[in-house]
Amino acid sequence: MSADPTPARRSRRGTGAVTLHEVARIAGVAPITASRALNTPDQVSEEVRKKVQDAIAKTGYVPNRLAGSLASSRSKLVAAVVPTIAGPVFLETIQSLTEALAEKGYQLMLGQSGYADSREDALLDAIIGRRPDGIVLTGIMHSEQGRQRLKAAGIPVVETWDLTPSPIDMLVGFSHEQVGRAAVAYFKARGRTKLAVVSGDDERAARRTQGVVAAARSAHLPAVTVMNVPAPTTLRSGREALSELLSSRKDFDAVFCSSDLLALGVVTEARSRRIPVPEQLSVMGFGDLDFAADVLPSLTTVRVDGTAIGRKAAQFIVDRAEGRAVKDRVVDIGFEIIERQSA
Amino acid sequence: MSADPTPARRSRRGTGAVTLHEVARIAGVAPITASRALNTPDQVSEEVRKKVQDAIAKTGYVPNRLAGSLASSRSKLVAAVVPTIAGPVFLETIQSLTEALAEKGYQLMLGQSGYADSREDALLDAIIGRRPDGIVLTGIMHSEQGRQRLKAAGIPVVETWDLTPSPIDMLVGFSHEQVGRAAVAYFKARGRTKLAVVSGDDERAARRTQGVVAAARSAHLPAVTVMNVPAPTTLRSGREALSELLSSRKDFDAVFCSSDLLALGVVTEARSRRIPVPEQLSVMGFGDLDFAADVLPSLTTVRVDGTAIGRKAAQFIVDRAEGRAVKDRVVDIGFEIIERQSA
DNA sequence: TTGAAAGCGCTAACAA
DNA sequence: TTGTTAGCGCTTTCAA
């Protein structure tokens, strides 16, 4: 209830929001002291802490992190790039990444690159311009230009969901090629040798397909029939793919699908044609989405611990941001084939 | 190729990144002129534009948007809050929101509030602190404290996926209660009167359930059997719910599910028990997820145009940020029952 | 069309 | 433990 004649007067700039300056003035301390009361409370006396708390409560002050970030060169912002958020595959990773970061006081910025590489460049600029403390890529960065920019920016980068011999910086993923090989071994061990693949046309799925083809060849199995469908994959494209596969009159007794949704589509189409799964046709998916265990027949699939990927990526970046050395900068998270009814 | 003896010397602060200052120096203009060449190229001569472009290309300059935002009070950042990114429901909205914003040069920040309200407060602070140009909430903000903070922050807010008579600011959604009522009308018109509901325990699903219960009552139908399952909903919880429903010995010939995943679970469990759908049991889902049309039997479901919600929200916020007046601040996007095989 | 000066709100560095 | 000073890198304001 002061008699201040101009209670809300502001200079011509700014938003009119409460600033640390005002909090400090009300608390009767210097701005930097108020700053310390907030950020490094141990460096400040009990008394000061209390006064500042009160002033904050009274004013509803919310620190302007743009200013803080600019001054300290630490934004507490992490960018994640996904092809599209709509594909269910990376969701677990994004979720655990967001959570793990939030726990440490970091916020996530989301960028969608699309499955085409075209927008990636503009996206990269938008991201780098915010000076995030880290960038998490789903997949690896291929364009040499992109790699250069990221390196030049000096921002910690984690590539995920893939392996490469030459990561930009840090990496947590697994070998898609090995997934394909493991699938072939699985089928072969169960007497299935006439293999088909239904695959999304994104790059990682394509490498799983290559793994299947290569492994089949070295095991002297018949040539693998490959059917590509556009990414992101859907149940429908799985159904259509099986239809086409059947009408192609190729012979096959097992199908490896590049996603669980495709696998469910294949299983569904098989059911509508009264083709018994797995008796006549074995089907394997990829992803172990939450429905995989509970559909009929339940889906045999490849499980990748997307949550662990997100957590590990968060840890990598936070460690770096807090100045800790990161020693093992490449983590192979592996995968696992979950045996269920469909294969 | 200057003979500068200390080519990369920096002051003790800063990151060492190229600044506009440097670009300007190389281009031989004042920093503000370089700034204009970037942001308002019309205000600058062709010659200057060219020199600045060259300097940028030579240095790999990426503007620091933290600094820009601080100076201009416009962050070009929009925050989105979802309960969890893992539920498929909001994905479409987030995707179209991200895209529509990216087109206008805005970036999305993602926050997960969890289905419990506890973390919402900390999240709100983290968000407001970044001074986004807008905040998109999935669902409406209930806590009076949260509403106050958002209003106090003076940031444009769009609540989505719901209706309320008292929005904080802008809103694009639909009535969940009406969805429930429409489902009852649909069932009734097809001779189904003994209704059951399987519902996630989140608040919007609960209101759909209330709609069903209320409509059944006013239509003098038998009491609705309600089964709640924890959110986020899964195919498995749908299967379990039908099991419980059956063992409860209640009589019902139609089930309204609060998500397509639940509906698929109910259908799956029915199949495993040889209960014919829809002959003996009608099943309706919610969401029209991409698999709904292609499973067997295909799912009758409630379709909400999540993409439109995201687009509209983006438009609301961009309009506000660019200083345009927004007239109709509440949009009811409606919904639609898609008739398919399951009901 | 171009520029000089003065901040935006905060924190690093140094000093007391 | 607290404070002073000087920026962080950009854009607004005002002037030429």
Side-chain angles (χ1 to χ4, degrees):
Chain A
M1 297 304 134
S2 82
D4 188 345
T6 56
R9 201 170 60 80
R10 309 258 158 233
S11 69
R12 63 222 143 96
R13 309 250 302 238
T15 58
V18 182
T19 68
L20 187 60
H21 239 89
E22 246 164 83
V23 169
R25 193 177 49 72
I26 292 172
V29 298
I32 182 65
T33 303
S35 169
R36 286 196 270 247
L38 272 172
N39 300 319
T40 50
D42 315 334
Q43 291 184 28
V44 125
S45 72
E46 178 61 39
E47 192 203 341
V48 164
R49 217 175 309 163
K50 170 105 182 48
K51 284 192 293 188
V52 172
Q53 297 285 5
D54 289 350
I56 288 173
K58 196 183 313 184
T59 53
Y61 170 69
V62 181
N64 184 330
R65 293 193 180 282
L66 293 173
S69 300
L70 180 60
S72 65
S73 306
R74 310 212 26 238
S75 63
K76 291 241 172 188
L77 205 65
V78 172
V81 179
V82 294
T84 159
I85 191 75
V89 193
F90 303 124
L91 284 184
E92 269 185 84
T93 299
I94 298 297
Q95 179 178 17
S96 70
L97 182 65
T98 310
E99 271 171 17
L101 288 174
E103 265 167 36
K104 304 283 188 182
Y106 290 71
Q107 204 75 22
L108 191 82
M109 233 171 65
L110 190 69
Q112 292 186 123
S113 58
Y115 275 97
D117 286 353
S118 48
R119 250 181 19 211
E120 207 160 63
D121 225 57
L123 183 59
L124 232 46
D125 259 21
I127 287 174
I128 294 173
R130 309 258 179 213
R131 303 295 192 262
D133 289 340
I135 299 177
V136 177
L137 304 173
T138 48
I140 56 184
M141 172 67 61
H142 293 286
S143 94
E144 190 49 40
Q145 190 181 351
R147 299 170 57 83
Q148 287 310 331
R149 308 192 72 146
L150 284 172
K151 284 184 177 168
I155 300 170
V157 172
V158 185
E159 290 164 288
T160 64
W161 277 92
D162 210 338
L163 287 182
T164 160
S166 55
I168 299 178
D169 183 359
M170 296 170 289
L171 183 151
V172 35
F174 60 96
S175 163
H176 291 263
E177 163 115 29
Q178 286 302 326
V179 168
R181 293 181 174 276
V184 172
Y186 180 97
F187 283 132
K188 188 159 171 254
R190 283 155 185 81
R192 304 291 169 129
T193 56
K194 291 169 286 183
L195 309 184
V197 171
V198 176
S199 174
D201 62 1
D202 67 280
E203 185 231 322
R204 281 171 295 282
R207 275 223 306 298
R208 296 197 285 277
T209 301
Q210 285 161 25
V212 170
V213 170
R217 189 178 302 132
S218 46
H220 305 293
L221 303 186
V224 176
T225 309
V226 176
M227 178 112 270
N228 280 305
V229 304
T233 57
T234 63
L235 194 146
R236 166 169 307 198
S237 51
R239 290 191 66 164
E240 290 169 353
L242 181 59
S243 296
E244 282 198 53
L245 234 29
L246 291 169
S247 61
S248 78
R249 316 233 115 257
K250 294 271 173 55
D251 190 23
F252 56 94
D253 55 13
V255 183
F256 175 71
C257 301
S258 78
S259 78
D260 282 349
L261 231 33
L262 284 178
L264 186 56
V266 167
V267 166
T268 301
E269 187 62 26
R271 179 148 68 91
S272 83
R273 292 164 180 259
R274 310 204 176 288
I275 298 172
V277 170
E279 293 76 7
Q280 189 176 327
L281 185 65
S282 275
V283 180
M284 188 185 298
F286 178 87
D288 194 25
L289 298 192
D290 71 29
F291 62 75
D294 299 299
V295 290
L296 280 181
S298 59
L299 292 180
T300 295
T301 188
V302 177
R303 165 146 186 76
V304 174
D305 192 345
T307 300
I309 293 181
R311 253 196 328 257
K312 186 67 196 173
Q315 192 204 317
F316 268 154
I317 286 183
V318 172
D319 278 356
R320 270 293 187 74
E322 329 247 282
R324 284 188 289 276
V326 169
K327 28 179 207 297
D328 300 314
R329 312 210 296 195
V330 174
V331 174
D332 184 341
I333 205 94
F335 60 88
E336 186 186 359
I337 295 183
I338 311 278
E339 176 164 16
R340 297 209 185 93
Q341 294 165 353
S342 72
Chain B
M1 298 306 134
S2 83
D4 186 347
T6 54
R9 202 171 58 81
R10 306 262 160 231
S11 69
R12 63 218 144 99
R13 308 251 302 237
T15 57
V18 182
T19 69
L20 187 61
H21 238 90
E22 248 164 82
V23 170
R25 191 176 50 72
I26 292 172
V29 298
I32 180 62
T33 302
S35 169
R36 287 198 269 247
L38 272 172
N39 301 318
T40 52
D42 314 333
Q43 290 184 28
V44 125
S45 71
E46 179 62 39
E47 192 204 342
V48 164
R49 218 174 312 163
K50 170 106 181 49
K51 284 192 293 187
V52 172
Q53 298 284 5
D54 289 351
I56 288 173
K58 196 183 313 184
T59 54
Y61 170 68
V62 180
N64 184 331
R65 293 194 180 283
L66 293 173
S69 301
L70 181 61
S72 66
S73 307
R74 311 212 29 237
S75 62
K76 291 242 174 187
L77 205 67
V78 172
V81 179
V82 293
T84 160
I85 191 75
V89 193
F90 303 124
L91 284 185
E92 268 186 85
T93 300
I94 298 298
Q95 179 178 16
S96 71
L97 182 65
T98 309
E99 271 171 16
L101 289 173
E103 265 167 37
K104 304 284 186 179
Y106 290 71
Q107 203 75 20
L108 192 80
M109 234 172 63
L110 190 69
Q112 292 187 122
S113 60
Y115 274 98
D117 287 352
S118 49
R119 249 179 22 208
E120 206 160 64
D121 225 56
L123 182 58
L124 232 46
D125 259 21
I127 287 174
I128 295 174
R130 309 259 179 213
R131 303 295 191 264
D133 289 341
I135 300 178
V136 178
L137 304 174
T138 47
I140 55 184
M141 173 66 62
H142 288 104
S143 95
E144 190 48 41
Q145 190 182 349
R147 298 170 59 83
Q148 286 311 330
R149 309 192 73 145
L150 284 172
K151 285 184 177 168
I155 300 170
V157 172
V158 185
E159 291 162 288
T160 64
W161 279 91
D162 209 339
L163 287 182
T164 159
S166 55
I168 298 177
D169 183 359
M170 297 171 287
L171 183 149
V172 33
F174 61 95
S175 163
H176 291 264
E177 163 115 30
Q178 287 300 328
V179 169
R181 292 181 174 277
V184 172
Y186 181 96
F187 283 132
K188 189 158 170 256
R190 284 153 185 82
R192 304 290 169 130
T193 56
K194 292 168 288 184
L195 309 183
V197 171
V198 175
S199 173
D201 61 0
D202 68 279
E203 185 230 323
R204 281 171 294 283
R207 275 222 304 298
R208 297 197 284 278
T209 302
Q210 285 161 25
V212 171
V213 170
R217 191 179 299 135
S218 45
H220 304 293
L221 303 185
V224 176
T225 308
V226 175
M227 179 111 268
N228 279 303
V229 304
T233 58
T234 63
L235 194 148
R236 165 168 307 198
S237 51
R239 291 190 67 164
E240 290 169 352
L242 182 59
S243 296
E244 282 198 51
L245 233 31
L246 291 169
S247 60
S248 77
R249 318 231 113 259
K250 294 270 174 57
D251 191 24
F252 57 93
D253 56 14
V255 183
F256 176 72
C257 301
S258 77
S259 79
D260 282 350
L261 231 32
L262 283 177
L264 186 56
V266 166
V267 166
T268 302
E269 186 63 26
R271 176 148 69 91
S272 83
R273 292 164 180 262
R274 310 200 179 289
I275 299 170
V277 170
E279 294 76 7
Q280 188 176 327
L281 184 65
S282 274
V283 179
M284 188 185 297
F286 177 88
D288 194 25
L289 298 192
D290 72 28
F291 62 74
D294 300 299
V295 291
L296 280 182
S298 59
L299 292 179
T300 295
T301 188
V302 178
R303 163 144 187 79
V304 173
D305 191 345
T307 300
I309 292 181
R311 255 197 325 259
K312 186 69 195 170
Q315 193 204 317
F316 268 154
I317 285 184
V318 172
D319 279 354
R320 272 293 188 74
E322 329 248 280
R324 286 188 289 277
V326 169
K327 30 181 205 295
D328 300 313
R329 311 211 296 196
V330 174
V331 174
D332 185 341
I333 205 93
F335 60 87
E336 186 186 357
I337 294 182
I338 312 278
E339 176 163 16
R340 298 208 186 93
Q341 295 165 351
S342 72

